[in-house]
Every structure is written in C-alpha cells, then in structure tokens.
Amino acid sequence: MKPEYVLGNWKSNKSRDEAQRWISEFQKAYRANQVVLEVIICPAYHHLELFIAAGLPVALGVQDISQFPSGAYTGEISAEMVAGQVKYALLGHSERRKNLGETDEIVAMKVTRALDKGIIPIVCVSDIRQVEALKKLAPNFATTGLLLYEPLFAVNSGNPDTPESANEFALAAGEILQGVRVLYGGSVKPDNVSGYFQQPDLAGVGVGGASLDALTFIRLIDGASFKSQ
Ligand code: PGA
C-alpha cells in the first residue's frame, strides 16, 4: 500500500532550544499508529542533528537545496551535504519563488540535484502552469517526486482551499505528470485535515503554522482519517 503523508514545514522558525523542546514534547506524546502514514518534518538545516540524535519515528526533509553542486557557493547547502541525513527536499516553495526570485528553471535544477543524490524532491506548485514547466524542465521528476499543491491565497492565511478543489488540482496535475502523487498545503489545521484525507486523489497534506507546536501537530496527525482504512 502506498503511504500517505503529513509534512511539517517549520520555515524560518525556532532557536536550538525551541527545536529541542519541540522534539522532547513530540517524543513523549506521539504514538505512531498509522502504518500507511509517513510523517515528514522539514526543520532548518542546523536542527537536523537534533532530530537524528533523538531518533524520532519521522522522516526528515530540508526546506531547500542549492541548484549548485558542492564548491565555491558561499552560504549554499548542496544536495551532497545533506544526502544520507534526509530523505526529502522541499523545493520551489511559493515563499522562495516570491521572496528570492526562484524561477521554474532554478527549481528544475534543484530537482535534478536532489534526484542525483537519492533525495526525493517534493515540489511546491501553486498553479498548473508550474506543473507544466516542471514536466518540461525536469522530465525525470515524476518517477519519484511528490507535488505539494499550495494555492497562494491559502498559504499562511487561515483561508484554506476546499478539499474538493484541491482534489481537482491533483487530478489535473496527475494528467500532466502521469501518476504523480499530490499533497495539499495551505492553512491545514487539526480541525480541517480530515477533509483532505477523504479525497480520492490527494496523498496527504503539507503543514506550516500548525506544525510549530508539537501537541497541535500530533492532534493534526491524529485527525487525519484515512480512506485506506
Ligand atoms: P501554512 O503553510 O500551513 O502556515 O498555511 C503551509 C506551507 O507553506 O507549507
């Protein structure tokens, strides 16, 4: 059975102490009882070691990787540098596209870097045009990659897209990138998460704000009721 996903994206949040506190709270309270569910946490790079040391039953991801290989690229974190530490890389988030000028071409370069190093790319898209660009610029993406559909109006706004509309997007994306699995993200909370898991063509959710508090995030995971059960 294919897994479904709950992905927590911490974005640019948490000191080392705050990250350690979250990990301790999660460790105490979380009971992984959904064998078909993969919980993915994407903290900042410098928190990865804390997660690895704690051995939490979650998969790890980074929130970005460089489009360049290792070398003279000051400040960049390359795929080589995190390979072996993380299973996933979140790429092309709308906040990076908007604030840092990431283009479809740059996102495609990052996808290739990730795949070359055995890291599964999770590409964020907010419209179908970005899915078409991904198909054209990174044709090898669809074999292993996941899509995270995050409409701009829904991200960090408290105004989520409806599960039905998100499902329609997943269907349309799946026609372009044959069989790609699609997650929905944008203001997903413990009290609305189950609606997305009831949709036949969605493979899970991406969560920003509601992943920052360990107990809220656990409630959200528990609130996901699975169509496979
Ligand atoms: P949000 O963020 O849950 O805070 O809306 C979603 C995301 O950007 O992944």
Side-chain angles (χ1 to χ4, degrees), residues 184-204:
Y184 166 75
S187 301
V188 177
K189 308 285 178 211
D191 60 1
N192 66 13
V193 65
S194 67
Y196 301 101
F197 277 92
Q198 282 155 18
Q199 294 299 318
D201 302 294
L202 288 176

